[in-house]
Amino acid sequence: MRKAALFLSHLLNPSMIALLVFGALGWREDWFVGVVGVAAFAVLPGLLLLLLVRLRRLDQIYPDDRGVRGALLLQGALCYALGWGVLYGLGASLLVLVSAATFVVNTLSIWVINRHWKISIHAAGVGGASCILLVSVGEVAWPFVLSLPAIAWARRYLRAHTPVQIGAGAALGAGSSAVLYAAFDLL
């Protein structure tokens, strides 16, 4: 069971989620915008994290220490903000720009919360991605919503989070994404 929980944690981590989201947006909108999104929101942050582990600056991919998590969240937010800027410069659609902005907003929100309390980054990522995919590709994305209970089980099984931390992460990810889409009349 531990291997299954670890597999789900790796499969549904923020970089993999971004790969799925920007792959779907590239398929729906513009393949080049999708490639840029995958590079800026999935590949770059993922490679930076793996580099930090390889250089022994991190002892694990998912650190428990809130100070270390905070630094990684800011690093991710910087990658996402740069990615948003490049997408804006390329003239990406409003749907793509708001989707990219959800990554920035959610990451910075998690960073603020993380300073005082541990919240599930995985659950926030899956919650946000569920909203993004439902808005951008429609009803075909409904099966992805099953990722929420899957990641909740995995993170709980690994004793990485309490049920409240997982629920709060999922609510933050989905809720803030929905608010952004509503603010730009994309819902």
Side-chain angles (χ1 to χ4, degrees):
M1 291 300 259
R2 180 170 171 74
K3 285 184 179 182
L6 284 170
F7 174 76
L8 284 171
S9 290
H10 293 317
L11 181 66
L12 297 171
N13 76 42
S15 287
M16 295 299 285
I17 293 291
L19 179 72
L20 173 66
V21 165
F22 285 97
L25 288 168
W27 169 76
R28 184 183 185 278
E29 296 279 322
D30 174 353
W31 71 269
F32 187 68
V33 164
V35 169
V36 170
V38 165
F41 291 79
V43 176
L44 180 60
L47 287 176
L48 287 173
L49 182 62
L50 291 175
L51 180 65
L52 290 171
V53 170
R54 176 90 169 130
L55 294 174
R56 300 182 196 273
R57 301 277 192 252
L58 289 176
D59 60 352
Q60 59 179 325
I61 293 176
Y62 310 121
D64 290 324
D65 180 89
R66 284 201 319 252
V68 174
R69 285 168 49 101
L72 293 174
L73 286 163
L74 286 177
Q75 175 182 295
L78 178 61
C79 290
Y80 300 158
L82 290 172
W84 185 93
V86 171
L87 290 170
Y88 179 81
L90 290 172
S93 71
L94 181 62
L95 177 67
V96 171
L97 292 174
V98 173
S99 299
T102 64
F103 279 82
V104 178
V105 169
N106 287 346
T107 303
L108 291 174
S109 298
I110 292 166
W111 175 75
V112 169
I113 293 167
N114 181 71
R115 296 180 64 187
H116 308 285
W117 185 64
K118 187 177 179 188
I119 188 169
S120 176
I121 298 168
H122 283 81
V126 171
S130 294
C131 183
I132 292 168
L133 291 170
L134 288 170
V135 169
S136 61
V137 298
E139 63 188 38
V140 72
W142 273 109
F144 184 77
V145 174
L146 296 175
S147 297
L148 277 169
I151 198 62
W153 169 80
R155 302 310 288 159
R156 185 73 187 120
Y157 184 86
L158 294 171
R159 299 175 195 241
H161 294 286
T162 66
V164 173
Q165 292 167 338
I166 294 165
L172 171 74
S176 65
S177 299
V179 166
L180 280 171
Y181 284 119
F184 289 94
D185 288 328
L186 293 171
L187 281 182

